Amino acid sequence: MSSPSRNDERAEAQDAEPASAPDEARSAFDRGVLWCARGAAWLVFVAMVISVYEVIMRYGFDSPTSWVHESVVMLVAVSFALGGPAALASNRHIRVRVLYDTAGPRLKLWLDRFNDLVTFGFCLAMSYAAYTMFWDASHNPMGEWQLERSGTSWNPPFPALVKGVIMVALILMCLQAFI
C-alpha cells in the first residue's frame, strides 16, 4: 500500500476541525466586517509613520509638532475599537473552553447559542452606554450639535470621534451576535 498523500492528510485535518474555526467568517456580514478591518488595520501603520515623523522633526530639526501625539492616540484607539468586531467575525475572541471541549455536539450547540445570547445582551447594553457617551460628546447642554474637543493647543474633535467609533463597533458586534 502507498502512504497517504499530503492532500489526503490536509482533507482529514480540515474534517477534524470544528465548524467555527478561527478566520472562518460565519456570514456575509462577517466577511464584510473582516474586509473593513483589514483596511482599518493600516491605521496602526499610519500611526507609526507619523510617530517616526515626529521623532525626526523633534530631534533632527528641533521642531516638535503639536498634532502627532493626539493623532496617534486617536488612530490606535480607533483600531482597537474596530478590533472587537474583527475578532468576533473571525472567531478569535477569548473563550474559556474547559466545559466546551468536554461537551458533546448537542451540548456544544446549546453552549454556542447561550454564548451568542450573552454576547448580544452584553453588546446591546454596552451600545446603549456608548450611545449616551457619544451623545454627550457630540451635543452641547442645549442639545445642539457640537463635538467635544481635546482642549489642547491643536484642539481636534478626536474625543467625540473616538466615542462615535466605539459606538459603531459595539453596534456591529450586536448585529454579529444576532446573526
Side-chain angles (χ1 to χ4, degrees), residues 52-89:
V52 168
Y53 172 79
E54 166 65 17
V55 169
I56 291 170
M57 293 304 292
R58 178 178 300 257
Y59 298 108
F61 299 103
D62 197 27
S63 180
T65 63
S66 62
W67 56 272
V68 168
H69 177 72
E70 288 180 279
S71 299
V72 167
V73 169
M74 190 269 303
L75 291 169
V76 171
V78 166
S79 67
F80 273 42
L82 297 176
L88 197 56

Side-chain angles (χ1 to χ4, degrees), residues 113-127:
R113 296 301 160 250
F114 178 72
N115 183 48
D116 291 340
L117 183 64
V118 170
T119 301
F120 178 73
F122 176 77
C123 289
L124 192 64
M126 292 298 291
S127 294

Side-chain angles (χ1 to χ4, degrees), residues 28-61:
F29 187 77
D30 283 344
R31 283 190 292 278
V33 167
L34 288 173
W35 184 81
C36 292
R38 285 185 195 98
W42 284 96
L43 295 176
V44 177
F45 178 74
V46 172
M48 185 271 311
V49 168
I50 64 175
S51 293
V52 168
Y53 172 79
E54 166 65 17
V55 169
I56 291 170
M57 293 304 292
R58 178 178 300 257
Y59 298 108
F61 299 103

Side-chain angles (χ1 to χ4, degrees), residues 3-179:
S3 64
S5 69
R6 286 188 177 209
N7 289 336
D8 292 338
E9 290 173 2
R10 286 186 192 133
E12 288 175 15
Q14 287 175 347
D15 290 340
E17 289 181 14
S20 56
D23 289 335
E24 184 179 309
R26 295 171 288 186
S27 68
F29 187 77
D30 283 344
R31 283 190 292 278
V33 167
L34 288 173
W35 184 81
C36 292
R38 285 185 195 98
W42 284 96
L43 295 176
V44 177
F45 178 74
V46 172
M48 185 271 311
V49 168
I50 64 175
S51 293
V52 168
Y53 172 79
E54 166 65 17
V55 169
I56 291 170
M57 293 304 292
R58 178 178 300 257
Y59 298 108
F61 299 103
D62 197 27
S63 180
T65 63
S66 62
W67 56 272
V68 168
H69 177 72
E70 288 180 279
S71 299
V72 167
V73 169
M74 190 269 303
L75 291 169
V76 171
V78 166
S79 67
F80 273 42
L82 297 176
L88 197 56
S90 63
N91 199 25
R92 290 189 173 270
H93 47 86
I94 296 172
R95 181 179 294 178
V96 179
R97 301 188 60 110
V98 173
L99 179 62
Y100 191 81
D101 286 343
T102 60
R106 187 170 167 85
L107 181 57
K108 281 185 180 181
L109 179 66
W110 281 100
L111 289 172
D112 285 339
R113 296 301 160 250
F114 178 72
N115 183 48
D116 291 340
L117 183 64
V118 170
T119 301
F120 178 73
F122 176 77
C123 289
L124 192 64
M126 292 298 291
S127 294
Y128 174 74
Y131 169 76
T132 60
M133 279 184 5
F134 178 66
W135 178 269
D136 292 342
S138 62
H139 292 79
N140 66 19
M142 300 298 289
E144 298 165 343
W145 181 262
Q146 182 179 2
L147 295 178
E148 176 185 3
R149 298 185 164 276
S150 66
T152 62
S153 61
W154 186 38
N155 204 26
F158 290 164
L161 297 176
V162 169
K163 290 173 185 177
V165 169
I166 291 170
M167 180 184 71
V168 167
L170 285 163
I171 291 169
L172 285 174
M173 291 174 72
C174 272
L175 291 172
Q176 288 172 290
F178 185 77
I179 291 172

